[in-house]
CSV table of all heavy atoms in Angstrom, one decimal:
chain,number,residue,atom,x,y,z
X,16,PRO,N,-3.9,-3.9,-18.3
X,16,PRO,CA,-3.8,-2.8,-19.2
X,16,PRO,C,-2.6,-2.9,-20.2
X,16,PRO,O,-2.7,-2.6,-21.3
X,16,PRO,CB,-3.7,-1.6,-18.3
X,16,PRO,CG,-3.6,-2.1,-16.9
X,16,PRO,CD,-3.9,-3.5,-16.9
X,17,GLN,N,-1.5,-3.5,-19.7
X,17,GLN,CA,-0.4,-3.7,-20.6
X,17,GLN,C,-0.7,-4.7,-21.7
X,17,GLN,O,-0.4,-4.4,-22.9
X,17,GLN,CB,0.8,-4.3,-19.8
X,17,GLN,CG,1.6,-3.4,-19.0
X,17,GLN,CD,2.9,-4.1,-18.5
X,17,GLN,OE1,3.9,-3.9,-19.1
X,17,GLN,NE2,2.8,-4.8,-17.5
X,18,GLY,N,-1.4,-5.8,-21.4
X,18,GLY,CA,-1.8,-6.7,-22.4
X,18,GLY,C,-2.7,-6.1,-23.4
X,18,GLY,O,-2.6,-6.3,-24.6
X,19,ASN,N,-3.6,-5.3,-23.0
X,19,ASN,CA,-4.6,-4.6,-23.9
X,19,ASN,C,-3.8,-3.7,-24.8
X,19,ASN,O,-4.1,-3.6,-26.0
X,19,ASN,CB,-5.6,-3.8,-23.1
X,19,ASN,CG,-6.6,-4.7,-22.3
X,19,ASN,OD1,-6.6,-5.9,-22.5
X,19,ASN,ND2,-7.3,-4.1,-21.4
X,20,ALA,N,-2.8,-2.9,-24.3
X,20,ALA,CA,-2.1,-2.0,-25.1
X,20,ALA,C,-1.3,-2.8,-26.2
X,20,ALA,O,-1.2,-2.3,-27.3
X,20,ALA,CB,-1.1,-1.2,-24.3
X,21,VAL,N,-0.7,-3.9,-25.8
X,21,VAL,CA,0.1,-4.7,-26.7
X,21,VAL,C,-0.8,-5.3,-27.8
X,21,VAL,O,-0.5,-5.3,-29.0
X,21,VAL,CB,0.9,-5.8,-26.0
X,21,VAL,CG1,1.5,-6.8,-27.0
X,21,VAL,CG2,2.0,-5.2,-25.1
X,22,GLN,N,-2.0,-5.7,-27.4
X,22,GLN,CA,-3.0,-6.2,-28.3
X,22,GLN,C,-3.3,-5.1,-29.4
X,22,GLN,O,-3.4,-5.4,-30.6
X,22,GLN,CB,-4.3,-6.6,-27.6
X,22,GLN,CG,-5.3,-7.3,-28.5
X,22,GLN,CD,-6.6,-7.6,-27.8
X,22,GLN,OE1,-6.7,-7.6,-26.6
X,22,GLN,NE2,-7.7,-7.8,-28.6
X,23,GLY,N,-3.5,-3.9,-28.9
X,23,GLY,CA,-3.8,-2.8,-29.8
X,23,GLY,C,-2.7,-2.5,-30.8
X,23,GLY,O,-2.9,-2.3,-32.0
X,24,ALA,N,-1.4,-2.7,-30.3
X,24,ALA,CA,-0.3,-2.5,-31.1
X,24,ALA,C,-0.2,-3.5,-32.2
X,24,ALA,O,0.1,-3.3,-33.3
X,24,ALA,CB,1.0,-2.5,-30.3
X,25,LEU,N,-0.5,-4.8,-31.8
X,25,LEU,CA,-0.5,-5.9,-32.8
X,25,LEU,C,-1.5,-5.7,-33.8
X,25,LEU,O,-1.3,-5.9,-35.0
X,25,LEU,CB,-0.7,-7.2,-32.0
X,25,LEU,CG,0.5,-7.7,-31.2
X,25,LEU,CD1,0.1,-8.9,-30.3
X,25,LEU,CD2,1.7,-8.0,-32.0
X,26,HIS,N,-2.7,-5.2,-33.4
X,26,HIS,CA,-3.8,-4.9,-34.4
X,26,HIS,C,-3.3,-3.9,-35.4
X,26,HIS,O,-3.5,-4.0,-36.6
X,26,HIS,CB,-5.0,-4.4,-33.7
X,26,HIS,CG,-5.8,-5.5,-33.0
X,26,HIS,ND1,-6.9,-5.3,-32.2
X,26,HIS,CD2,-5.6,-6.9,-33.0
X,26,HIS,CE1,-7.4,-6.5,-31.8
X,26,HIS,NE2,-6.6,-7.4,-32.3
X,27,SER,N,-2.6,-2.8,-34.9
X,27,SER,CA,-2.2,-1.7,-35.8
X,27,SER,C,-1.1,-2.2,-36.7
X,27,SER,O,-0.8,-1.6,-37.7
X,27,SER,CB,-1.9,-0.5,-35.0
X,27,SER,OG,-0.8,-0.7,-34.1
X,28,LEU,N,-0.4,-3.3,-36.3
X,28,LEU,CA,0.6,-3.9,-37.2
X,28,LEU,C,0.0,-4.8,-38.2
X,28,LEU,O,0.7,-5.4,-39.0
X,28,LEU,CB,1.6,-4.6,-36.4
X,28,LEU,CG,2.6,-3.8,-35.6
X,28,LEU,CD1,3.5,-4.7,-34.6
X,28,LEU,CD2,3.5,-3.0,-36.5
Side-chain angles (χ1 to χ4, degrees):
Chain X
Q17 280 191 96
N19 292 347
V21 171
Q22 184 186 342
L25 289 171
H26 282 175
S27 58
L28 286 172

